[in-house]
Amino acid sequence: MISLYPLVYNVVLSTRYDVLTQPGTSHFVGLGNYQQILSNAHFWADMGRTGIFMVVSVTLEFVAGLILALVVHQQFKARGLVRASILIPWAIPTAVSALLWKMFFDTRSGFVDFALHALHLPGANMVWFNSPTLAWVPIIVSDMWKNTPFIALLLLAGLQTIPLEIYESARMDGASAWQSFRSLTLPLLRPAIMVALIFRTLSALLVFDVVYVLTGGGPGQSTEVIAYYDWYKYLVSLNFGVGATVAVIITIFALALAALYVRLLQQRGEFLS
Amino acid sequence: MRELTKFRRSSLGVLGAATLTLTLAGCGSSTSAVAHNVTLVFATQGLGTEAQATNAAVAAFEKIHPHIHVQIETLSASSNNAYQSLVTDLASGSATPDVITSDVIWPATFAAAKWIMPLNQFHPKLSAFFPGMVKAGVYHNELYAMPWFINVEGLYYRTDLVKTPPTTFAQLISDAKSAMSKNPKLMGLAFEGNKYEGAVTVFQDVSGGFGGAFLNAQGKPVINSPQNIEALTWLDNALKTGLTPQAATTWEEGNVQQAFLSGDAVFATNWPYLYPLAEQTGSAVKGKVGFVPPPVQNGTPTASLGGDSLVINKNTKYPQQAWELVQYLTSASTMMHRALISGDPPARTDAYTASLLKTAPWFKQEEAVYKYATPRPVTPLYPQISAKIQEALSAVYSGQTTPTKALDQAQQAIQAILNNNGN
């Protein structure tokens, strides 16, 4: 009920002309809003940027998360403490962690600037947020910092379901560590990988707060993502009809992506069993 | 959050309608019962000394009106966030907050959405208020907002580095350069260059100085006028030539304040709140600060108008009491007290009394700048117009496009917004 009501309401709203600053003019427009949005270059530009962000951030987070999971899966002292502490970034609200990274990337007093300077690396005195390409770096770093632990946690859970004996027998058969990782760990981890990827891909599609806090979509429109566009339609234009339309389109994309993943998961699943 | 908003919007709409019906039904009988206890919810921004001033004013008001209790609801200090929570409340049709502190750029939007009440019915006396502030609250010839305190984006300068304040943009550059040549650590001009509303108010100052405007007298956009292109080129050159550091492209008021108060900047654009901070004991620039209208080049001095006004929720159950509160808060003596406690500049001329000027002499210089206060376009579409200008400024400052191209594009986008098919 709680999730269905707003969803249905949103779909209904998306078929209406409903601009809050023009009370009394709300009326049914059928698929008019969809036609308007789908033929809009601005919308597709934002979708494109969101897609690139999704691929880059999920790939990086996945690789980092996998390494992290493999590390904390090993036996070592204070393992419980380390496992618990990697979750800290994930427990911090995105808006807060984004603000933190905004300060880190500050040109005059930021930590990043200081570190690059100390290490004699290029990039010191850089105004990160004033470059259409480099402005993505703080966004992706902030997003990675926050979400890598989540992937690591899911993969760690997956790793723990793999019985240790099979590694034992692989070693006896003369398999190298890399070979057993490729032919044992990865395939057996597939369900966990799929779950992690589905979660992260979908939330990357809906990315909003990091961008809102760090760049406001700037400089120009170079970091504007689709959820930002939707926010703009609702709360700047106060155009609830079009805002709802964008929300419905995002929902459809999200469902399609999830369906795609589930299909992949099922096909591979047959392999496993 | 989005879904939640929608949910609240409709469900509270029903609730609002229900309460309205109840109120209307109750009207007939309750008129005789005068000594009714009433609670007004007053949504306002402001922390620290501003909150102190609000609390003091509200306490004094309650003393005079023992039957009215005022509950203060503090909104987010960030203007954007405050706006969003107000939109959520008002769109839901809720009867509270009854009285709302509104940024000068909001009343037109609120009025068009029929969320706030026209105030002419209360016969407000407006002759003492700064005309620019009053104009910002007028939509379709009706007054919707009572000015509370005024703000202008003016030019700060260092009296120890610059003998007489510049009146032309060329003079500003040469003054800044000569100070910078004596002390290379100085920056010439600090201004707000981040992609946000503050960049628009700086641009408005410079645009007006070059003789430009955002909309013409007929309400048609003139964003890509030669004057505006000149103005944006001037700001962009400040960044390119090192008069202003590159980092300013991410600066908001707080960063400009930091640069100026630390003594690093010859000139800075900012609002009056900075003046008392600069004159505070321990400030690196104490006694070395001047505040003047921005310079010109073929235009007129233009100081972008900011500030806050008070509006009344259209669905309030207590319009008369709400008006009493608004009237009290916008009286000369309340404004003077607020100025003394928090430094918020009164929106009416008769509040600048001798005793205020004695305690806070900088108000005299500030008053000279208010003469040039220019409101941003008063239209419900202003937030969208501003967003397009912000995009243009940010695209130019980051070197993605030229001032001409950026403003041509903004002109087209704003034209489309005004024709009601914009993005």
Side-chain angles (χ1 to χ4, degrees):
Chain A
M1 183 60 203
I2 285 174
S3 64
L4 202 65
Y5 176 81
L7 195 70
V8 172
Y9 186 84
N10 228 10
V11 172
V12 172
L13 199 56
S14 73
T15 61
R16 300 189 65 83
Y17 177 88
D18 189 352
V19 181
L20 296 195
T21 50
Q22 300 165 8
T25 62
S26 172
H27 59 271
F28 180 74
V29 290
L31 295 176
N33 289 335
Y34 289 89
Q35 205 173 12
Q36 188 197 327
I37 284 298
L38 293 175
S39 62
N40 184 327
H42 188 160
F43 168 82
W44 287 110
D46 285 0
M47 280 304 264
R49 279 186 283 261
T50 311
I52 294 171
F53 169 81
M54 205 163 71
V55 172
V56 174
S57 70
V58 174
T59 308
L60 290 175
E61 281 159 22
F62 173 71
V63 173
L66 182 62
I67 294 172
L68 200 59
L70 290 171
V71 169
V72 295
H73 189 51
Q74 307 302 314
Q75 291 285 350
F76 57 89
K77 260 190 190 166
R79 187 173 70 164
L81 194 71
V82 173
R83 280 184 181 179
S85 63
I86 62 164
L87 271 178
I88 291 174
W90 185 64
I92 292 176
T94 316
V96 177
S97 69
L99 262 181
L100 213 66
W101 282 99
K102 188 174 187 164
M103 283 192 250
F104 284 170
F105 276 94
D106 185 90
T107 310
R108 291 219 302 175
S109 51
F111 162 78
V112 173
D113 185 64
F114 171 80
L116 290 174
H117 211 79
L119 297 168
H120 301 288
L121 285 171
N125 298 323
M126 179 107 73
V127 186
W128 295 88
F129 298 108
N130 195 36
S131 156
T133 39
L134 291 176
W136 283 104
V137 174
I139 292 178
I140 289 178
V141 168
S142 171
D143 196 65
M144 271 184 81
W145 185 76
K146 155 107 190 165
N147 290 312
T148 302
F150 175 71
I151 293 194
L153 186 75
L154 288 179
L155 295 185
L156 179 63
L159 282 173
Q160 287 175 338
T161 61
I162 303 174
L164 286 173
E165 295 79 46
I166 60 169
Y167 289 105
E168 197 72 19
S169 45
R171 197 162 48 230
M172 288 212 269
D173 291 341
S176 70
W178 173 244
Q179 275 171 330
S180 65
F181 172 73
R182 276 213 47 188
S183 11
L184 290 177
T185 315
L186 273 188
L188 290 173
L189 206 52
R190 192 158 267 136
I193 291 174
M194 280 298 166
V195 170
L197 286 182
I198 289 180
F199 271 115
R200 277 309 307 147
T201 310
L202 293 190
S203 66
L205 175 68
L206 302 176
V207 63
F208 173 76
D209 23 19
V210 194
V211 173
Y212 181 78
V213 172
L214 283 174
T215 65
Q221 287 179 350
S222 43
T223 58
E224 198 178 292
V225 288
I226 196 63
Y228 188 90
Y229 183 74
D230 197 19
W231 165 83
Y232 179 89
K233 282 292 162 203
Y234 272 115
L235 280 159
V236 181
S237 305
L238 296 176
N239 190 334
F240 275 48
V242 169
T245 307
V246 178
V248 171
I249 295 174
I250 299 176
T251 312
I252 292 171
F253 264 92
L255 286 175
L257 271 173
L260 192 74
Y261 269 123
V262 169
R263 260 185 89 94
L264 281 173
L265 181 65
Q266 277 171 346
Q267 281 171 0
R268 305 297 187 171
E270 284 161 26
F271 258 99
L272 281 178
S273 53
Chain B
M1 198 208 98
R2 190 173 55 242
E3 262 95 356
L4 189 70
T5 312
K6 309 288 283 313
F7 187 76
R8 285 194 60 190
R9 183 181 170 219
S10 56
S11 63
L12 283 182
V14 175
L15 217 121
T19 32
L20 195 72
T21 328
L22 282 176
T23 323
L24 289 176
C27 264
S29 59
S30 69
T31 35
S32 53
V34 183
H36 223 62
N37 276 337
V38 161
T39 298
L40 290 175
V41 178
F42 175 33
T44 187
Q45 282 179 272
L47 306 164
T49 53
E50 281 196 313
Q52 239 177 55
T54 308
N55 288 338
V58 160
F61 172 79
E62 285 177 329
K63 218 169 193 171
I64 313 174
H65 301 271
H67 298 297
I68 307 177
H69 169 66
V70 180
Q71 185 191 330
I72 297 172
E73 183 187 316
T74 307
L75 298 169
S76 164
S78 141
S79 183
N80 267 350
N81 295 345
Y83 177 74
Q84 284 166 32
S85 59
L86 285 175
V87 166
T88 312
D89 278 347
L90 293 170
S92 76
S94 159
T96 58
D98 302 275
V99 177
I100 298 158
T101 306
S102 158
D103 191 307
V104 282
I105 55 175
W106 302 342
T109 309
F110 290 172
K114 300 204 165 123
W115 290 335
I116 56 176
M117 198 174 267
L119 302 177
N120 297 51
Q121 50 181 315
F122 302 111
H123 309 293
K125 289 188 198 64
L126 297 166
S127 55
F129 291 87
F130 287 108
M133 273 306 274
V134 175
K135 230 163 64 183
V138 175
Y139 179 67
H140 285 183
N141 298 319
E142 283 266 17
L143 181 81
Y144 282 90
M146 282 295 280
W148 194 19
F149 55 86
I150 189 171
N151 246 329
V152 284
E153 178 106 49
L155 184 72
Y156 284 92
Y157 73 102
R158 289 276 299 278
T159 51
D160 57 328
L161 302 173
V162 179
K163 287 282 161 282
T164 46
T167 52
T168 67
F169 287 108
Q171 206 186 326
L172 187 153
I173 295 179
S174 68
D175 285 348
K177 280 195 173 149
S178 80
M180 288 163 84
S181 68
K182 283 173 209 143
N183 179 357
K185 273 167 129 182
L186 283 172
M187 64 180 92
L189 170 69
F191 71 84
E192 300 92 322
N194 196 19
K195 189 190 171 194
Y196 85 120
E197 186 62 35
V200 178
T201 54
V202 171
F203 178 58
Q204 192 189 12
D205 280 11
V206 180
S207 148
F210 278 96
F214 295 167
L215 304 182
N216 66 13
Q218 286 76 45
K220 297 265 174 293
V222 283
I223 290 292
N224 61 349
S225 67
Q227 292 87 345
N228 281 344
I229 294 173
E230 252 185 297
L232 183 49
T233 308
W234 190 85
L235 282 166
D236 189 35
N237 279 341
L239 289 163
K240 287 214 177 89
T241 57
L243 195 73
T244 301
Q246 275 292 315
T249 54
T250 63
W251 282 1
E252 302 193 354
E253 281 93 354
N255 311 88
V256 173
Q257 167 194 333
Q258 206 185 359
F260 190 73
L261 290 185
S262 59
D264 292 343
V266 188
F267 294 102
T269 56
N270 214 320
W271 306 84
Y273 83 95
L274 185 59
Y275 216 137
L277 298 178
E279 292 298 349
Q280 193 166 270
T281 9
S283 150
V285 292
K286 188 174 159 61
K288 303 174 192 165
V289 177
F291 186 59
V292 289
V296 292
Q297 199 138 308
N298 306 320
T300 41
T302 304
S304 187
L305 174 80
D308 279 359
S309 44
L310 297 171
V311 299
I312 300 178
N313 184 344
K314 187 157 194 188
N315 291 331
T316 175
K317 284 185 258 172
Y318 315 110
Q320 198 56 48
Q321 288 89 340
W323 171 250
E324 293 284 346
L325 176 62
V326 170
Q327 213 178 9
Y328 182 81
L329 291 174
T330 56
S331 68
S333 74
T334 315
M335 279 191 191
M336 192 196 77
H337 282 118
R338 185 172 186 87
L340 284 172
I341 300 174
S342 71
D344 285 341
R348 48 195 295 166
T349 47
D350 54 354
Y352 292 86
T353 56
S355 74
L356 175 62
L357 294 178
K358 200 170 156 226
T359 335
W362 51 83
F363 276 122
K364 208 167 180 70
Q365 280 199 46
E366 288 180 7
E367 228 190 321
V369 184
Y370 301 144
K371 266 211 302 240
Y372 302 103
T374 313
R376 284 158 274 172
V378 182
T379 147
L381 299 172
Y382 178 72
Q384 293 170 72
I385 295 176
S386 167
K388 292 299 158 193
I389 298 175
Q390 289 171 34
E391 260 167 39
L393 299 177
S394 164
V396 169
Y397 296 161
S398 58
Q400 297 180 72
T401 180
T402 63
T404 311
K405 276 191 202 147
L407 293 177
D408 279 346
Q409 217 180 341
Q411 170 79 12
Q412 268 181 23
I414 292 168
Q415 188 75 63
I417 288 165
L418 293 172
N419 293 344
N420 201 15
N421 51 18
N423 307 302

